[in-house]
Amino acid sequence: MARRSKQTESPETIERQWSPRVSAALLERLAARAAVSAVKKTIAIEAPFTGEVLGHVPHGAPADVVAACAQAREAQQEWARHSFAARAAVMLRFHDLVIDNAAEILDIIQLESGKARRHAFEEVLDVAIQARYYAHTAAAFLKPRRRQGALPLLTKAWEYHHPRGVIGVITPWNYPLTLAVSDALAALMAGNGVVVKPDALTPFSALWAAGLLEEAGLPQGLLRVVTGRGAELGEPLADGADYLMFTGSTATGRKVAGMGAERLKNSSMELGGKNALLVLPDASLRRAVPGAVCGITSGGGQLCISIERVYVHAAVYDVFAARLAESLRAVRLGASLTFLEDMGSLIGADQLSKIEGHVADAVGKGAEVLAGGKARPDLGPYFFEPTLLAGVTDEMDLCRAETFGPVAAIYRCDSVQEMVERANDSSYGLNASIWTRDTRFGRELAARLQTGTVNINDAYAATWASAGPMGGFKESGLGRRHGRQGIIKFTEAQTVAVERLLAIDTPPFLSHQQYATLMSAAVKLLKHVPLIK
Ligand code: NAD
C-alpha cells in the first residue's frame, strides 16, 4: 500500500493509492454506483489494517430505498420474461468476470474488512460457486411441475413458481462480497429484482459486484445497492420489498423479521452462532488440530459458522489441547495484500473492545489462557491474537454469548454423550464440526446435534460449499439459503388445476346423498391408484 509522492497530490484531493489496483478514483467510481440521489451526507469507510479512511460512500435516506425498490420493480417486469437460459448466461458471464477480476476484489474485500487474503478468497470462490450452481439448476427447481389432481383423468394440476418481485437483501460486514451477492444471485435467477443494503462498514464489495453484474449483462436498475445505516433504511426496505433476506445478528434479525411479519411479508434470517467442534477419541489429531485452527481463525473468527467451543474427549484432551494451543500461537498475523498471512485484523474498535471484554471477563473469573489473549497494536489498531481458553464456566460472558472473534473455549468431556449434550446446550444452532475416523458414526452423531449444518472432519466449508440447505436451528435463524430451498423461497408458489367434464361438486343428475355414496366408493378405489410425486 504505497502513498503517491507529495508533489503529485493537489492540496484538495489527496489521491491515496491503496494497492496497485485500488485507487481513490476507483473507490469514488464505486461510491457513485450507490442508488442514492442528491447526496447530502457521506459515510467515511475505515481501512481496518491502518485505521485510516479508505473512502466515502453516500449516506442513503429512506427515500433512496423507496426509489431503488421502484427502479428494481420496473426492471424486474422485463427480466421476469427472460428465459432461464438468458438469465443463466448473465450469471455465467458474471462467474467468469469475478474469477478474472479476483485480484481487484480481493484487495477491496481486504481493505474494507481487514481480513487475510486467503479468507477473502473464500468469498470469491463462494460467489463463483453460487453463480454456476443457480445458472445450472434454477430451471429444474422452478419449472412448472405436474401435481396430483383431485380426481384422476378429471383433474389436471400444475405447480408454478413466480418471482416475488423485489427482494430486499440486508447484509453484515464480515463477508461483504459473499453475503451481498450470493443470495442475490439466487433471487435474480428466480426472476426477481434486488435491493441490497450492505453494512455501512463495508459497502465497496457490494458496489463492485453490482457493477460487474451489469457488465455481465444484468439489465440496469434490476439490482440496486443503497448505502447507509440499517436503522434508517430497514423500515423503508420492508415497505418496498416483497421479501426480506437478512444476514446479521440475532438481535437485529428479530427486528427485521418483525418488520416483515407486521407487513405479512416473508423473510429469511441467517443469524448468529456459538458453534461447537467435537473431537472424538478416534479422531486423527493430525487433521483435527489444523481443522480447529481453521474454524477458530477464519475471517479473524468473525464468521457466523466459525468455532467458539471445542469439546474434546478426555482420552485425547491433553495432547489435542497442547497441539491446538501451539498451532494457534504459530498463526501468522499481518496486514498485507498478499497470501502470506494466515489471519488478518478485526473489523474495528467495537469488535476489538467486545473481544477484549469477553477475554478479560473470563480471565478475571478464573479462565486459563492456553494461547493468545492479547491485542496486537504493533500490527494494526484492531489485531487480536488467536486465543484458546480453558476453565471457562457458565458465569463468564464468552461461555454462551457469541464472541465473533478468534477466541475459543476448550472443554474436557468424559463421554461422547456429554459432548453432544454440551454442544446442544446453547440458544444458537448454526454449525457444528465432528472429528472422527468413523464417519458412519459421525453421521449418526450429527443427527443428534441441533444445528443446521454439521461438518465431519471439516470445520465449516464442506457444508457451506455443498448444494445442501444452509441455515440455523433455534435462535440462529429462519429459513435456509443454498440449494433448492435457497431459490424456492424467492418465489410465490401457484397451483393451477383444470377440471374436465365435471366440476368437483354434485352433478345435476345426482342427489347430494348419491354423490356422497359415489365419492366414498371412488375414494376407496383411489387408494390403489399410484400418485404423481
Ligand atoms: P448486525 O445485525 O448489527 O447488522 C447486520 C445488518 O443489519 C447491517 O447491514 C446493518 O446495517 C443492518 N441493520 C442494523 N439495524 C437494522 C435495523 N433496525 N433494520 C434493518 N437493518 C438493520 O450484524 P453485524 O454485527 O454486522 O454482523 C455480525 C452478526 O452477523 C453475527 O451475529 C454473525 O453471526 C451474523 N452472521 C450470520 C451469518 C449467517 O449466515 N447465519 C453470516 C454472517 C454473519
Side-chain angles (χ1 to χ4, degrees):
M1 290 190 280
R3 194 183 279 273
R4 278 188 187 171
S5 78
K6 282 270 188 248
Q7 291 89 322
T8 62
E9 292 166 357
S10 80
E12 293 81 29
T13 51
I14 297 173
E15 279 275 302
R16 174 79 147 95
Q17 186 76 26
W18 286 92
S19 80
R21 290 164 290 265
V22 180
S23 61
L26 170 65
L27 296 171
E28 271 171 32
R29 280 202 302 281
L30 293 180
R33 290 207 141 271
V36 176
S37 65
V39 180
K40 294 191 190 82
K41 283 195 283 178
T42 59
I43 301 174
I45 307 303
E46 187 181 15
F49 280 156
T50 63
E52 292 169 276
V53 174
L54 177 64
H56 293 81
V57 294
H59 186 136
D64 295 310
V65 174
V66 173
C69 289
Q71 287 159 354
R73 192 172 297 287
E74 199 187 325
Q76 186 266 337
Q77 311 289 316
E78 175 62 26
W79 179 246
R81 287 193 281 271
H82 282 44
S83 65
F84 282 111
R87 293 181 211 155
V90 176
M91 294 297 136
L92 294 174
R93 278 196 295 273
F94 174 69
H95 168 281
D96 292 347
L97 284 170
V98 169
I99 300 288
D100 294 347
N101 292 280
E104 185 173 280
I105 187 59
L106 287 173
D107 284 1
I108 293 171
I109 296 171
Q110 282 200 275
L111 287 168
E112 69 177 359
S113 74
K115 67 175 63 172
R117 203 165 190 81
R118 61 194 290 247
H119 297 143
F121 186 67
E122 289 182 345
E123 302 203 46
V124 169
L125 270 188
D126 180 61
V127 165
I129 289 171
Q130 297 306 325
R132 173 173 47 88
Y133 179 73
Y134 284 116
H136 290 314
T137 57
F141 288 143
L142 303 182
K143 69 180 181 205
R145 260 171 227 285
R146 276 290 303 277
R147 289 296 177 214
Q148 181 66 44
L151 296 170
L153 306 178
L154 292 186
T155 323
K156 265 189 170 176
W158 293 265
E159 176 184 320
Y160 292 89
H161 284 274
H162 300 297
R164 285 183 183 270
V166 175
I167 310 298
V169 177
I170 304 178
T171 62
W173 43 262
N174 63 328
Y175 274 63
L177 179 70
T178 279
L179 297 173
V181 178
S182 294
D183 297 306
L185 297 177
L188 291 167
M189 271 309 297
N192 297 286
V194 173
V195 174
V196 180
K197 208 297 293 165
D199 193 280
L201 297 174
T202 54
F204 285 118
S205 300
L207 292 164
W208 181 88
L212 220 63
L213 273 163
E214 280 190 13
E215 201 179 324
L218 201 73
Q220 277 205 345
L222 187 64
L223 180 139
R224 304 299 275 143
V225 178
V226 184
T227 48
R229 309 264 177 228
E232 293 161 49
L233 305 184
E235 293 278 355
L237 191 56
D239 282 334
D242 302 292
Y243 183 95
L244 295 169
M245 172 72 233
F246 175 84
T247 309
S249 64
T250 296
T252 311
R254 274 186 218 285
K255 287 187 204 162
V256 177
M259 291 175 199
E262 270 171 29
R263 294 161 175 87
L264 286 180
K265 290 181 182 177
N266 247 312
S267 60
S268 186
M269 299 286 134
E270 299 289 344
L271 310 177
K274 186 77 184 172
N275 309 303
L277 179 142
L278 282 57
V279 184
L280 272 54
D282 72 335
S284 156
L285 300 195
R286 191 179 52 77
R287 291 183 60 195
V289 170
V293 172
C294 167
I296 294 166
T297 58
S298 272
Q302 304 162 117
L303 170 63
C304 54
I305 45 184
S306 68
I307 300 300
E308 298 197 359
R309 299 181 291 151
V310 181
Y311 297 106
V312 187
H313 196 279
V316 288
Y317 179 90
D318 289 336
V319 181
F320 180 84
R323 284 203 214 161
L324 178 57
E326 188 187 335
S327 299
L328 287 172
R329 283 193 292 268
V331 167
R332 289 165 299 190
L333 302 183
S336 85
L337 299 178
T338 71
F339 281 99
L340 290 175
E341 279 80 24
D342 299 322
M343 195 181 101
S345 166
L346 302 176
I347 184 76
D350 289 351
Q351 205 58 21
L352 176 64
S353 99
K354 179 178 169 202
I355 290 164
E356 283 185 317
H358 273 195
V359 172
D361 170 73
V363 172
K365 290 173 181 162
E368 182 192 355
V369 177
L370 300 185
K374 294 190 306 296
R376 290 293 301 275
D378 52 316
L379 300 172
Y382 313 123
F383 278 83
F384 196 87
E385 293 172 341
T387 296
L388 188 65
L389 297 166
V392 171
T393 54
D394 240 338
E395 61 277 8
M396 302 173 189
D397 290 340
L398 74 69
C399 184
R400 288 174 181 280
E402 184 186 44
T403 304
F404 218 50
V407 178
I410 188 164
Y411 305 91
R412 182 194 297 267
C413 297
D414 291 323
S415 67
V416 171
Q417 178 61 20
E418 182 190 345
M419 295 161 94
V420 171
E421 282 170 12
R422 294 179 78 169
N424 284 339
D425 183 16
S426 170
S427 59
Y428 291 113
L430 193 56
N431 180 40
S433 165
I434 297 174
W435 294 81
T436 175
R437 284 194 169 88
D438 184 350
T439 54
R440 192 194 173 105
F441 178 65
R443 283 174 61 190
E444 283 168 25
L445 204 59
R448 288 156 59 190
L449 292 177
Q450 297 158 357
T451 55
T453 49
V454 181
N455 295 271
I456 298 169
N457 297 330
D458 194 66
Y460 60 84
T463 50
W464 179 277
S466 77
M470 159 81 217
F473 285 23
K474 302 192 261 185
E475 293 182 6
S476 287
L478 284 177
R480 296 289 184 269
R481 56 160 53 109
H482 294 174
R484 183 174 182 275
Q485 295 187 44
I487 188 163
I488 288 279
K489 69 184 179 183
F490 295 130
T491 66
E492 287 282 11
Q494 182 186 52
T495 303
V496 175
V498 176
E499 199 57 28
R500 296 189 296 186
L501 301 175
L502 291 172
I504 304 179
D505 195 5
T506 310
F509 51 85
L510 293 177
S511 70
H512 294 316
Q513 174 66 58
Q514 287 169 325
Y515 178 70
T517 308
L518 181 72
M519 288 307 285
S520 303
V523 163
K524 277 191 176 168
L525 271 179
L526 285 177
K527 264 175 70 181
H528 308 289
V529 176
L531 293 173
I532 299 175
K533 295 193 185 87

